[in-house]
Amino acid sequence: MSASSSKGTALITGASTGIGVVYADRLARRGYDLVLVARRQEKLAGVAAQLKETGRKIETLQADLTVKEDVQRVAERLSGDPAITALVNNAGVGSAGKLLDAKIDDLEAMIYLNVTALTRLTLAALPGFVARKNGLIINIASIVALAPELLNGTYSGSKAYVVNFTQALKNEVAAKGITVQAVLPGATATPFWDKAGLPVEHLPSEMVMTAEDMVDASLAGLDQGELITIPALPELASWERFEGARKELGPQLSLKVPARRYGVTA
Ligand SMILES: NC(=O)c1ccc[n+]([C@@H]2O[C@H](COP(=O)([O-])OP(=O)(O)OC[C@H]3O[C@@H](n4cnc5c(N)ncnc54)[C@H](OP(=O)(O)O)[C@@H]3O)[C@@H](O)[C@H]2O)c1
């Protein structure tokens, strides 16, 4: 099935497997041409071939987003191509082991991919989007952004960054015609889990969503104007209470005098 009118081009990182492939499929069917980014060119070519029937223009861009020069190359594409109207920052890896057993170089590469590359690509796309008063940025975070006790804190911290960054970004650009969304998937059945050393089959099946359902729910959330989309959360009111409690702390977090319980001032 081919979508009739073009919505411009969506650049999707991590589009060789898992969630990124489903975004590629759904955005092509919504009328976007695609630039698919990942390290494994043969997988990207397979995804492009699979989506040929959508009738959209699909290009692959091989890049390792833990390598600064490669990130720069993708950033230049984003800043230099006025046809690009959407960026999906989806590429990401996890870290499941104990901090005491962790290899610092692996953690550093994860933080670079999940945080630095996402930030660089967003900032590369942004000036053009603002100048054209049109742009969509979808950042894939994770529910662990809200649950630091689940893993070792490094992956969840990188995803908490994505949530913070997206919330701040919305404040800055919403009035300039830019749409932003952070998506917080729960456990989703993709190759992610094998790479993190935790086969997804070991999780209770009622906790695990298909990548198709996850992306379809997220795009429905986008259509409903959500800034934060948590595909599994049954009641939106639960998130609103959580946000309300956080915002209520705001005026109390920075004051001239320390709290009485510390006994510092009379
Ligand atoms: N699956 C879950 O349960 C889950 C839950 C919450 C959030 N998420 C998030 O969802 C996003 C997508 O993950 P997924 O579940 O779809 O996992 P996935 O199937 O492992 O896909 C990850 C994608 O990122 C790409 N990638 C990894 N390292 C890269 C690098 N250095 N440079 C460029 N691309 C790289 C991979 O392609 P190449 O290997 O070809 O480079 C692949 O296309 C991630 O940000 C992840 O943190 C996943």
Side-chain angles (χ1 to χ4, degrees):
M1 191 183 68
S2 156
S4 46
S5 64
S6 174
K7 290 201 171 135
T9 300
L11 186 145
I12 306 172
T13 68
S16 61
T17 57
I19 290 167
V21 174
V22 184
Y23 267 107
D25 178 85
R26 300 311 193 252
L27 292 181
R29 290 178 202 286
R30 283 181 173 222
Y32 286 93
D33 294 330
L34 301 175
V35 178
L36 307 176
V37 180
R39 291 168 300 182
R40 287 169 294 171
Q41 176 56 35
E42 70 289 355
K43 290 253 179 212
L44 290 175
V47 176
Q50 192 187 311
L51 295 180
K52 209 169 165 203
E53 49 112 8
T54 62
R56 305 307 331 176
K57 202 169 131 217
I58 301 171
E59 193 188 320
T60 61
L61 183 53
Q62 195 273 333
D64 181 342
L65 298 177
T66 62
V67 173
K68 192 169 184 178
E69 292 70 25
D70 283 18
V71 175
Q72 190 53 33
R73 211 161 27 85
V74 180
E76 280 164 14
R77 179 62 191 272
L78 284 163
S79 60
D81 182 351
I84 294 181
T85 52
L87 166 63
V88 183
N89 278 309
N90 164 74
V93 293
S95 166
K98 299 267 176 242
L99 285 176
L100 282 171
D101 302 328
K103 294 195 182 88
I104 184 62
D105 289 343
D106 291 348
L107 292 183
E108 188 177 350
M110 177 195 69
I111 293 166
Y112 193 93
L113 175 65
N114 295 3
V115 172
T116 307
L118 175 140
T119 309
R120 282 189 170 273
L121 297 184
T122 302
L123 295 198
L126 215 48
F129 285 2
V130 169
R132 297 187 289 277
K133 298 186 177 58
N134 178 32
L136 167 66
I137 297 174
I138 300 175
N139 290 330
I140 307 302
S142 165
I143 55 105
V144 298
L146 307 175
E149 50 289 314
L150 279 184
L151 296 166
N152 69 29
T154 55
Y155 174 63
S156 58
S158 75
K159 294 301 189 177
Y161 174 93
V162 175
V163 174
N164 262 14
F165 176 70
T166 310
Q167 286 174 314
L169 186 62
K170 172 163 181 169
N171 287 341
E172 194 170 325
V173 301
K176 299 181 195 293
I178 315 298
T179 303
V180 300
Q181 180 193 32
V183 174
L184 281 65
T188 310
T190 70
F192 175 90
W193 289 88
D194 284 335
K195 293 179 203 164
L198 282 175
V200 74
E201 296 75 23
H202 291 195
L203 296 177
S205 61
E206 50 302 346
M207 281 181 59
V208 182
M209 200 177 280
T210 65
E212 288 76 11
D213 283 354
M214 203 294 288
V215 173
D216 287 337
S218 297
L219 287 170
L222 180 73
D223 294 341
Q224 289 168 24
E226 288 184 354
L227 164 63
I228 303 290
T229 294
I230 308 176
L233 187 71
E235 297 299 334
L236 183 60
S238 307
W239 166 254
E240 288 168 348
R241 277 197 302 278
F242 176 85
E243 270 292 271
R246 183 180 70 73
K247 284 182 179 157
E248 194 233 310
L249 285 178
Q252 309 173 60
L253 294 175
S254 180
L255 297 171
K256 188 172 173 192
V257 291
R260 260 224 305 271
R261 66 183 173 283
Y262 300 118
V264 176
T265 47

